[in-house]
Amino acid sequence: MTQEREKKRRAEFIMPPNALKMKVGSGGLDEKIIEMAQELINKTDFDFLPTGQRYLTSLQEGIRMTMQKRGEIDNEALITTMLYPAMQLKANGGMFGYPLITEVAAKLILFLEQVKEPDPDALDVVNGFAHALQAIMMLGEKTRGVAPHSSQLTDALDEAVRRYFTKHPD
Amino acid sequence: MPYRFDTVSVLIVEDNQPMAMMARAILQTFGVREVIIAKNGEDGFEAFCRHNPDIVIADWMMKPIDGVVLTRMIRGEPRSPNPFVPIILMTGFSEKTRVAMARDCGVTEFLVKPFEAKQLYKRIAQVIERPRQFVRSEGFFGPDRRRLVDATFAGPWKRHLDHQLTGGKS
């Protein structure tokens, strides 16, 4: 091992005092309290759709910008313009009563994480996701909880992704 | 005796207001009396320096300073009042590479959004009951990324230096 590598591996281990444990004590929380907290999530009356629509608009702007600036701006930066709103949709949809938005956005994130270059075919796929998300939001209340025909929608998106990676195996 | 969270303070750093409110309501149901909210990493670091909370819960994707950069500031800035504070990073990312990236920046726990109240509770219980030792090396300062420590392990050390550096503890 070189001196440099050995220096890098030299480490100091510190066990800080567990002040938090001293404050809270032992015994955990009663299951009923956790259930009460979960009820807050389940019964939230926050209307997510206006916020969701803003994130969707931001995703659509990301797609447009990527179409226009491809080759001029770094690919990762362009993908991030679509990844950020997709992430917000995934994180917040399910939290506020729209699990289908989370499910679709999660698939979109996975796709964006795997795509090496935002080429026109990839943008077509992302566009497909944006249309699907738009449709879910237009259906509004009907897509709260378990939405009808949701598996057909997600299957179609999976198929679009599969087709893309068959065409672009690298 | 159950946990007493009434003397614990938690800083939530989240740019999505409804999500921040939801997290605060959940924590208050757990019994946390002092919940401080900041809307991005920049404000979050200021709030951290001012209030010195017991736990930080931060979103990853925020502008202008995200949760990962905030973590680096808390762990490394001279102004930081407690570089050992447990940091729970909330994010929509769940891919292994992203989790590893967050761990490499000094995050203590990872909470994937959307989440259930029980999952947030589990992360909090984890930092209380299983605090991680900290490592200070040339390129890293933060919780030990090697979570699983088997005290009964009697076999040969794969890397002889590990044994020397930790005094046989890891």
Side-chain angles (χ1 to χ4, degrees):
Chain A
M1 186 180 284
T2 65
Q3 267 190 331
E4 188 59 31
R5 278 185 67 194
E6 200 161 334
K7 196 176 157 195
K8 272 193 178 169
R9 298 205 59 171
R10 208 166 291 151
E12 178 191 357
F13 290 82
I14 308 155
M15 195 64 201
N18 193 349
L20 197 54
K21 177 75 180 164
M22 286 186 260
K23 274 190 179 184
V24 303
S26 307
L29 271 189
D30 194 310
E31 196 65 36
K32 279 185 186 145
I33 293 175
I34 299 165
E35 282 168 17
M36 274 165 59
Q38 184 58 40
E39 280 298 289
L40 290 174
I41 300 174
N42 297 346
K43 292 187 174 166
T44 178
D45 57 0
F46 171 68
D47 180 8
F48 171 69
L49 291 182
T51 312
Q53 190 59 55
R54 274 204 304 279
Y55 291 134
L56 180 59
T57 303
S58 173
L59 172 65
Q60 288 160 337
E61 282 165 6
I63 297 169
R64 265 195 300 278
M65 185 179 160
T66 307
M67 277 174 184
Q68 290 164 4
K69 304 279 181 186
R70 220 166 56 83
E72 292 173 38
I73 298 178
D74 172 58
N75 281 342
E76 280 306 308
L78 288 172
I79 289 173
T80 303
T81 64
M82 299 178 279
L83 194 58
Y84 178 79
M87 176 64 62
Q88 294 290 4
L89 287 164
K90 188 236 171 186
N92 295 292
M95 209 74 205
F96 298 108
Y98 292 88
L100 187 54
I101 291 180
T102 285
E103 193 181 342
V104 170
K107 287 176 186 292
L108 173 56
I109 291 166
L110 203 60
F111 178 69
L112 289 170
E113 291 270 71
Q114 289 171 344
V115 158
K116 291 195 172 61
E117 196 189 323
D119 54 55
D121 288 341
L123 290 175
D124 274 350
V125 175
V126 180
N127 234 336
F129 275 97
H131 286 308
L133 288 161
Q134 183 70 74
I136 295 166
M137 286 187 203
M138 281 172 75
L139 284 170
E141 278 303 307
K142 286 184 187 161
T143 58
R144 267 185 173 260
V146 180
H149 313 301
S150 60
S151 64
Q152 281 147 288
L153 180 72
T154 52
D155 287 351
L157 293 168
D158 286 342
E159 180 56 24
V161 170
R162 195 192 58 75
R163 275 199 310 269
Y164 175 83
F165 286 114
T166 305
K167 192 174 171 187
H168 302 266
D170 298 326
Chain B
M1 275 283 283
Y3 282 157
R4 287 184 53 112
F5 281 122
D6 54 343
T7 56
V8 170
S9 58
V10 179
L11 169 63
I12 298 171
V13 190
E14 167 67 79
D15 60 354
N16 184 305
Q17 184 79 349
M19 183 66 90
M21 293 297 132
M22 176 71 83
R24 179 169 72 178
I26 294 169
L27 290 171
Q28 286 172 335
T29 306
F30 290 168
V32 179
R33 210 169 280 174
E34 192 184 359
V35 181
I36 308 131
I37 293 179
K39 63 178 186 296
N40 60 50
E42 196 174 28
D43 292 353
F45 187 65
E46 288 309 313
F48 179 72
C49 293
R50 202 163 47 246
H51 298 278
N52 191 11
D54 298 298
I55 301 172
V56 176
I57 300 175
D59 185 33
W60 184 331
M61 279 193 157
M62 292 180 290
K63 293 168 185 170
I65 289 178
D66 67 26
V68 164
V69 176
L70 171 67
T71 301
R72 284 204 195 103
M73 290 166 81
I74 289 172
R75 301 280 185 241
E77 287 273 328
R79 212 152 61 86
S80 172
N82 179 12
F84 300 108
V85 70
I87 301 174
I88 300 172
L89 193 74
M90 293 190 291
T91 174
F93 287 126
S94 53
E95 291 74 33
K96 261 187 175 178
T97 50
R98 296 279 183 175
V99 176
M101 193 194 292
R103 288 253 153 87
D104 287 348
C105 295
V107 163
T108 318
E109 291 293 330
F110 207 74
L111 179 64
V112 176
K113 291 194 285 189
F115 58 84
E116 293 179 350
K118 192 171 195 165
Q119 291 163 331
L120 175 57
Y121 169 65
K122 275 186 176 175
R123 299 305 182 285
I124 294 171
Q126 182 82 17
V127 300
I128 294 167
E129 301 297 340
R130 293 186 61 200
R132 312 240 294 272
Q133 66 176 351
F134 271 63
V135 181
R136 190 190 301 279
S137 64
E138 199 177 71
F140 177 75
F141 174 72
D144 194 340
R145 290 163 285 186
R146 296 170 299 180
R147 184 189 288 277
L148 298 172
V149 177
D150 183 359
T152 60
F153 178 65
W157 294 98
K158 206 170 172 183
R159 301 177 190 90
H160 71 283
L161 265 179
D162 284 357
H163 196 221
Q164 288 169 17
L165 293 171
T166 62
K169 282 180 197 154
S170 68

